[in-house]
Amino acid sequence: MAWRGRAMLQIPHWNRFHSNHDTLILSIVPATTKLRWPAASGYASCHVAEIKIKNRNDIRVSRMAEQKMATLKDVARLAGVGSGTVSRYVSGNGSVSPKSAEKIARAITQLKYRPNSIARSLSSRRSDLLGVWVPSLEGPYYQMMIRAIELELRQQGKHMILANAEDAQTDEDRLGHIDYLINRDCDGILMSGSRLGEFKLASLSERYPNLVCINREVEALPGRAFSIDHDLGGRLAARHLHGLGHRKIAVITGRLSAQDAKQRHGGFVDEMARLGDPVAPERIIEGAFSYAGGERAADMLLRSSAKFTAVFCGNDKVAMVVASRLQASGVSVPDEVSVLGYDNVDFAEYMVPALSTIHAPIVEMTQSACRQLLNLTYGLDLPFRERFEPALCARKSTAPPPSAP
């Protein structure tokens, strides 16, 4: 006795198969099939070729088999078109008539067909993968960046592989993370704020032309380096605090070996000098764009004998740490000391008090860089721009000093 089919098979009358010599054989095409019988508490679902049931306590699966994956030829046969037509439809290369496209789409849905990505990449010589190199994953800055990249790539049917170079100490270490992406057959690479020298970046781009830099000015890479005018951002910070009446301003920078940290710091101190109130060296502390770096710099500043009524911080993470340390020490922000950040990451407006900061268009810059990489790599024509300007975002953490300095 045998049944064939894809539907659920129900065995309602076990008394018909009471003899130990009787064997019920269900020959089933490879598919997910559910069996139900009164003695069972639920369903049994498995991929089978044959089930032998001798009695309630003797249910044998003679051969397990994975469900057969539909092939391109299966789709062509069901749709009534040639394999070449299905191939053109799946790859998007070449023309397919609307009528054939409708048949193919219906067949793909019915068969649950999934194109073989490995075979497709071999034939097209591309993986549809883009590598993303970042120096760290700490904090919201890189989360905002990665979210923007992922959204842009998804809209074009592409995906990303991420390399986090947080543990890299030398240029060789950093290049090792780039090699990791290249060895994964990435079609192109986005690099964020690399501390690699311009010469090494230029040399790398010669070896791997589909390379685009984010938050980095590189004269040797025209059309492939996207940046924010951080010098202007530093000047905007100086004008804001100076305009509020602050003259004794402390500065906590990022690592000044990083281009963006050096630019925003340079813009700030140059603008303060232009305004007639240069920043005293004892009020400048080189930190790092991290929570730990912010903690060390804030502790150094509070232990110093320097007098200040405002602190300009190299990024919002450091500003958050500084504001927290000040208030824990009994110093009111902004009534006694104003705190100004940089970047305008997503938590800034939710701090207490809400953080005044310099808005850096991180998402817009990242989207534009990603579009240009897609253009270079896949021959698209997406709009992009290379240079972006920051803007002041004044909130509640900055105010006039309590008294004239």
Side-chain angles (χ1 to χ4, degrees), residues 14 20 37 39 52-60:
W14 273 103
N20 287 340
W37 52 91
K52 292 182 178 180
I53 304 175
K54 296 188 68 174
N55 54 50
R56 296 172 188 264
N57 300 314
D58 190 354
I59 302 173
R60 300 177 183 177

Side-chain angles (χ1 to χ4, degrees), residues 44 66 68 72 81 114 136 178 186 219-220 229 264 361 387 400:
E66 289 297 326
K68 180 177 179 291
L72 186 142
V81 300
R114 295 179 61 188
S136 172
I178 296 294
C186 292
E219 291 184 4
D229 188 347
R264 66 190 67 172
R387 188 72 163 165

